[in-house]
Amino acid sequence: MRLSAPLTATMLTLLAAAPGWALRVAEVSPAAPEPVGPNTILRDDFSSGENLKSRYFEYDDAKGSFVWTKDEGVGGSPGALRCRFAKGQVTAGSLKVLFGRNPFNKGARNAETFREVYWRVYVKHQAGWQGNPAKLARLTTMASTDWSQGLIAHVWGGKGDVLCIDPASGITSNRKVTSRYNDFDHLRWLGLRNGATPIFSPAESGRWVCVECRVKVNTPGKGDGIFTLWVDGRLEASREDLDWQGTWQEYLPNALFLENYWNDGALKEESRWFDDLVISTQPI
């Protein structure tokens, strides 16, 4: 169902109660661009695809699989990043953003430390999309120039067609034990939570989906860290009891990776798009 007028709370209640009715989001468009202010760490609406390699810590186009396109921008805006998977393709490109104080001394506002970070991106899977591509994004603490990590807030493909949050830590007994990127032998996995919206299903394909996360580092010595996921403004999954980094506080969250990695390979040739990326210290 598509409606031309905004729905009031009363209308939503009546529709939800009507026999045979099932509500779903048909499309999401931002009401207005978020102003760039002191809360904004980084914003990119991808209106231009120029200098992506110099604008970001790392940009891998996977030999043309992940590129800027002037079409398909959210809300009719010009420009988005398009990932096109070939059938069976596993690695199809990534965009890595550095911010805050980090061991590479690069990126946005790299003289500052951020204990709490929100990030948001719009994602669209082409009409008729099939399959769960496993990887979408991760917020992480880059803890050394060897790419070892403190906390990792994975937003991955969950059970079925939903997203999940899968928090992990490279800190054990208040010391960093990781020595490389994705050091699985030394990571502590803190407990996966699945979402609810089947964004990878054919029924949800062909429209822009708003994915937003919050990560807050634990108070040193306490298990009060936070990891929350929203889809289209709806709370999908949350943890508020995480011991992300113990008392190890040398670095805090300082990197966000957008990823196109399909563990088992794409089921067919199909595309998805990313647009309007924001990293902030406040809800977006």
Side-chain angles (χ1 to χ4, degrees), residues 27 44 51 63 66 72 117 122 165 169 222 246:
E27 60 185 70
D44 196 339
N51 304 317
K63 298 181 179 179
F66 190 39
E72 301 291 348
V117 176
Y122 285 89
I165 58 174
S169 175
K222 295 184 178 180

Side-chain angles (χ1 to χ4, degrees), residues 9-284:
T10 300
M11 293 167 65
L12 284 169
T13 301
L14 290 173
L15 285 170
W21 281 92
L23 291 177
R24 62 177 291 272
V25 176
E27 60 185 70
V28 173
S29 297
E34 293 83 0
V36 176
N39 296 329
T40 304
I41 300 171
L42 177 142
R43 178 168 188 241
D44 196 339
D45 63 2
F46 300 115
S47 58
S48 169
E50 295 181 1
N51 304 317
L52 284 171
K53 287 186 180 293
S54 60
R55 280 158 53 189
Y56 289 102
F57 176 57
E58 185 176 288
Y59 164 59
D60 175 17
D61 70 355
K63 298 181 179 179
S65 296
F66 190 39
V67 297
W68 180 83
T69 174
K70 67 179 180 180
D71 303 318
E72 301 291 348
V74 64
S77 64
L81 293 180
R82 185 205 68 214
C83 169
R84 177 173 291 157
F85 283 97
K87 183 178 180 180
Q89 187 171 359
V90 174
T91 303
S94 64
L95 186 73
K96 296 179 172 64
V97 185
L98 280 182
F99 62 90
R101 198 174 74 85
N102 65 80
F104 301 94
N105 295 315
K106 296 180 179 181
R109 296 173 63 171
N110 60 32
E112 302 176 62
T113 297
F114 301 103
R115 298 195 64 83
E116 183 173 12
V117 176
Y118 292 78
W119 65 264
R120 191 281 315 279
V121 73
Y122 285 89
V123 183
K124 181 168 77 169
H125 296 84
Q126 76 171 59
W129 176 276
Q130 292 181 344
N132 185 327
K135 303 298 190 293
L136 181 75
R138 71 186 74 194
L139 185 81
T140 189
T141 297
M142 300 294 280
S144 171
T145 54
D146 62 12
W147 282 60
S148 57
Q149 296 158 280
L151 68 81
I152 316 173
H154 300 100
V155 177
W156 284 349
K159 184 177 181 180
D161 291 319
V162 305
L163 289 172
C164 73
I165 58 174
D166 198 0
S169 175
I171 310 300
T172 298
S173 299
N174 300 316
R175 66 184 183 90
K176 183 176 73 71
V177 294
T178 52
S179 60
R180 59 183 174 83
Y181 184 67
N182 277 348
D183 190 353
F184 293 120
D185 290 338
H186 297 102
L187 290 178
R188 287 188 299 118
W189 295 92
L190 306 178
L192 179 151
R193 296 288 187 274
N194 281 297
T197 303
I199 73 165
F200 302 120
S201 69
E204 296 294 331
S205 64
R207 71 176 184 89
W208 285 104
V209 175
C210 179
V211 178
E212 184 173 356
C213 277
R214 176 193 183 195
V215 172
K216 185 176 182 180
V217 181
N218 59 286
T219 305
K222 295 184 178 180
D224 59 359
I226 296 173
F227 187 10
T228 305
L229 168 68
W230 296 269
V231 173
D232 292 338
R234 169 181 169 174
L235 178 64
E236 295 275 308
S238 186
R239 293 286 303 276
E240 298 185 0
D241 59 349
L242 297 172
D243 178 8
W244 281 117
Q245 295 192 166
T247 60
W248 187 89
Q249 304 285 298
E250 184 174 349
Y251 290 103
L252 298 180
N254 54 22
L256 174 67
F257 300 168
L258 299 181
E259 302 170 306
N260 299 294
Y261 189 91
W262 200 315
N263 293 15
D264 298 322
L267 301 181
K268 62 178 183 178
E269 181 178 311
E270 51 191 354
S271 298
R272 69 177 178 185
W273 295 262
F274 295 86
D275 199 10
D276 214 0
L277 172 67
V278 179
I279 304 173
S280 175
T281 61
Q282 296 290 329
I284 302 161

